[in-house]
Structure formats: C-alpha cells, structure tokens
Amino acid sequence: MANIKSAEKRARQALQRRANNSAGKSRVLSAGRKLEDAIASGNKAEAEKLYSDFTSVLDKAAKRSFISVNCASRKKSRLFARVSAMA
C-alpha cells in the first residue's frame, strides 16, 4: 500500500478510472450485442434503430477514450454494411 499521501490519492484515482473504463467498455459491448442479435434475427427496422443507438454509444466511448476513434469508425462502417445488406 502507498505510504505517501499523493500516492494514496493516485491509487484512489486509479480505482475510479478503472471502474469508469470498465463501465464504458461494457456499454459498448452490450449495445453491440443487441445490434448483432437484431441482425441475426433479420429484423431490419429494429436493426436500423439499434444501429443508430450503437453509433451514439461508440462516439461517446471514443470521445472519452474507452476505445480509439479508428476502432469506433471501423465498427460503425462494418455494421452499417451488414445492416444495409439486410433484405
């Protein structure tokens, strides 16, 4: 354990940041899983709505550096192609 006051504060900050990062990544994964399920079920209307929600979640995650901007862009591009290709 830390012996210096500033080191104790850094340890507390690290715990809080770890929790925030974990929650942010979890939001991205949950939204992605819902969209994948909608695509697999073949429901295009629901998939389009969930795609819109998913892009919002991705953009917020990229803005807060939970994931990189390029990763968010790549995911959006690939999923848009899959949603557009639905019958």
Side-chain angles (χ1 to χ4, degrees):
M1 191 61 200
N3 295 327
I4 299 170
K5 212 169 191 150
S6 61
E8 291 173 358
K9 181 179 178 180
R10 282 309 227 171
R12 287 194 310 269
Q13 288 175 332
L15 286 175
Q16 184 62 46
R17 287 185 178 138
R18 190 173 306 125
N20 288 341
N21 289 340
S22 177
K25 288 178 185 177
S26 178
R27 272 193 294 275
V28 171
L29 292 174
S30 295
R33 201 171 300 120
K34 287 179 190 173
L35 179 56
E36 291 286 344
D37 291 344
I39 291 171
S41 70
N43 189 348
K44 185 165 184 168
E46 184 182 357
E48 287 174 344
K49 181 195 173 304
L50 288 172
Y51 175 77
S52 175
D53 296 342
F54 185 59
T55 57
S56 175
V57 169
L58 277 178
D59 288 337
K60 287 176 186 174
K63 184 173 94 173
R64 296 180 181 134
S65 298
F66 298 140
I67 60 173
S68 74
V69 175
N70 286 346
C71 179
S73 179
R74 185 176 61 245
K75 285 180 186 289
K76 287 191 292 187
S77 175
R78 289 178 180 172
L79 286 168
F80 181 75
R82 288 180 60 195
V83 170
S84 296
M86 292 176 72

